Amino acid sequence: MISSQIPKNPIKRLDVFWTLGEGVIVSADMQSRTRKNLTHYTRVVLNPFTMKVVEESCSCEAGSFGRKCWHLKLLEQLIENDAGLREEIERARNEMIQAEKDVLSW
């Protein structure tokens, strides 16, 4: 489990969207654990067919060195455990697949 030092509600914004050629994206602005007035941009890209993480990034110090920070771990836990978020991801996935089919039919 993630450290107990995490702010009570660290997520300030959470978005789910898709881009052709990249995948389904879950992004969040998360409050820093150590600096109250600092927000980090955290982003996870899911493959629309396997729903596995293919890319992840965070603007925090650990993320800037390519390490997996607690922001990414928390976002991945939310993706795995939050039913409402999973529904949004599935909706974005279906929209993306339909858009790809439409492009192929042109």
Side-chain angles (χ1 to χ4, degrees):
M1 188 66 190
I2 306 244
S3 169
S4 61
Q5 292 180 334
I6 295 175
K8 192 168 191 164
N9 186 10
I11 299 175
K12 303 301 175 195
R13 179 200 51 80
L14 182 67
D15 288 325
V16 177
F17 57 97
W18 57 269
T19 60
L20 288 176
E22 193 168 17
V24 177
I25 300 166
V26 181
S27 68
D29 288 335
M30 292 197 195
Q31 180 181 334
S32 172
R33 179 171 44 196
T34 56
R35 290 168 281 174
K36 190 176 184 178
N37 297 323
L38 183 61
T39 302
H40 298 294
Y41 178 71
T42 307
R43 181 177 189 262
V44 173
V45 181
L46 303 169
N47 178 308
F49 301 106
T50 64
M51 296 309 288
K52 302 279 185 200
V53 175
V54 293
E55 184 183 326
E56 54 191 9
S57 62
C58 184
S59 66
C60 72
E61 290 81 3
S64 66
F65 288 105
R67 294 194 199 124
K68 190 168 207 158
C69 59
W70 72 269
H71 308 104
L72 287 169
K73 291 176 186 174
L74 180 62
L75 191 54
E76 286 179 359
Q77 281 182 355
L78 275 173
I79 290 168
E80 196 173 303
N81 299 322
D82 186 304
L85 181 57
R86 293 291 300 176
E87 286 178 21
E88 281 189 64
I89 291 169
E90 188 62 28
R91 191 173 15 254
R93 174 184 178 271
N94 290 334
E95 286 177 16
M96 180 180 175
I97 289 171
Q98 185 59 48
E100 286 183 344
K101 286 179 183 176
D102 291 346
V103 168
L104 289 174
S105 70
W106 292 349

